[in-house]
Amino acid sequence: MAIEEILDKMVIPYTNVTLGEITLKDELMGEIKEELKNRLEKIGFTIINDRKGQLIEQMKNLVINKVHHSKSLDGVKWPEYMADELNLDHKYLSSLFSSVESITFEQYIINQKIERVKELLIYDELSLKEIAYQLDYSSVAYLSNQFKKITGMTPTKFKNSAIQNRNSLDEVH
C-alpha cells in the first residue's frame, strides 16, 4: 500500500504491485526514476533493474510465500518448484543465488523455515510435532537440532524465553 501511495502521488501509471514487484505501464527516465528511487529507499525498498537481481527477489518471494503463507510444505521439492515457477534450470538458479547472496539457496530456505518455526512457537497454537509436520521436517528431533544450530537454543527454551529473537522477513538472509 505504501508503494501504491508513492506511485499515485507521483502520478506514475502502473498495472500491478505485488510482494517485491511493481509493473509499470511505461519505463521511467531521468529525474522521475531518481525521485521514485529516493522515495522507495526512504521506506526501505530498492529498485532492481537487472535480470539477475529480479530473479533472486522472485526466488526469495516464492520461498517466503510457500514457507510463511502455506498450510503445509508437504513434500515440496525446492529445486523442481523453483525451476517450474521461473522456467529456468535449478542449478543455474542455485548458483546465481549463492553468488549474489553469499549463502546457499538451501540455507536461505532453512533460515526462512526457522523464522516460521519461531512465529508458530510464539503463537503457541501448535505442538512442536505439528510444526515439524507442517514445515516438512522428517522428525521433531531433526527440527530441534536445526533450530538449535541456527538460533543457539532449543525450541522449548526459545518458547519459554522472555526475549523472542524474531527477525522481519526481509532481514532473513
Side-chain angles (χ1 to χ4, degrees):
M1 289 176 21
I3 293 172
E4 288 176 345
E5 186 177 316
I6 289 171
L7 293 170
D8 291 341
K9 281 183 181 176
M10 292 182 66
V11 193
I12 297 173
Y14 61 93
T15 56
N16 191 28
V17 177
T18 58
L19 181 64
E21 192 174 322
I22 302 170
T23 308
L24 300 175
K25 288 187 179 180
D26 303 306
E27 188 174 343
L28 299 179
M29 299 294 181
E31 292 177 15
I32 294 173
K33 185 174 184 177
E34 193 61 31
E35 177 64 21
L36 177 61
K37 178 181 176 267
N38 292 336
R39 289 186 186 197
L40 289 174
E41 285 175 353
K42 283 181 183 174
I43 61 170
F45 293 97
T46 58
I47 294 177
I48 301 170
N49 290 320
D50 67 289
R51 176 73 177 135
K52 290 180 180 180
Q54 290 173 347
L55 277 173
I56 289 169
E57 283 305 307
Q58 287 177 311
M59 292 172 74
K60 288 179 176 182
N61 289 334
L62 287 167
V63 172
I64 288 169
N65 283 333
K66 200 68 146 162
V67 170
H68 295 274
H69 305 295
S70 294
K71 286 285 184 201
S72 172
L73 296 181
D74 191 27
V76 172
K77 306 243 183 306
W78 290 102
E80 291 86 355
Y81 175 67
M82 285 294 142
D84 289 347
E85 290 292 319
L86 300 174
N87 295 316
L88 290 166
D89 178 66
H90 71 87
K91 288 180 184 174
Y92 168 75
L93 292 170
S94 183
S95 172
L96 172 66
F97 192 93
S98 342
S99 69
V100 173
E101 290 297 313
S102 71
I103 62 167
T104 65
F105 183 61
E106 293 75 18
Q107 188 61 50
Y108 179 78
I109 294 167
I110 290 167
N111 292 347
Q112 287 295 336
K113 287 172 74 172
I114 294 302
E115 283 306 308
R116 181 67 175 145
V117 171
K118 288 179 185 179
E119 187 180 331
L120 293 170
L121 287 171
I122 291 167
Y123 288 159
D124 198 27
E125 295 174 0
L126 301 174
S127 69
L128 200 53
K129 183 177 180 178
E130 291 169 318
I131 293 170
Y133 177 78
Q134 182 174 329
L135 293 174
D136 202 31
Y137 281 95
S138 57
S139 68
V140 171
Y142 183 58
L143 165 60
S144 297
N145 287 338
Q146 198 170 69
F147 190 93
K148 186 168 185 176
K149 184 178 174 185
I150 301 292
T151 66
M153 62 179 92
T154 66
T156 304
K157 185 174 180 182
F158 174 84
K159 187 175 178 177
N160 294 333
S161 72
I163 303 168
Q164 316 235 301
N165 301 321
R166 294 230 33 244
N167 297 320
S168 66
L169 298 182
D170 55 357
E171 292 174 347
V172 178
H173 297 285

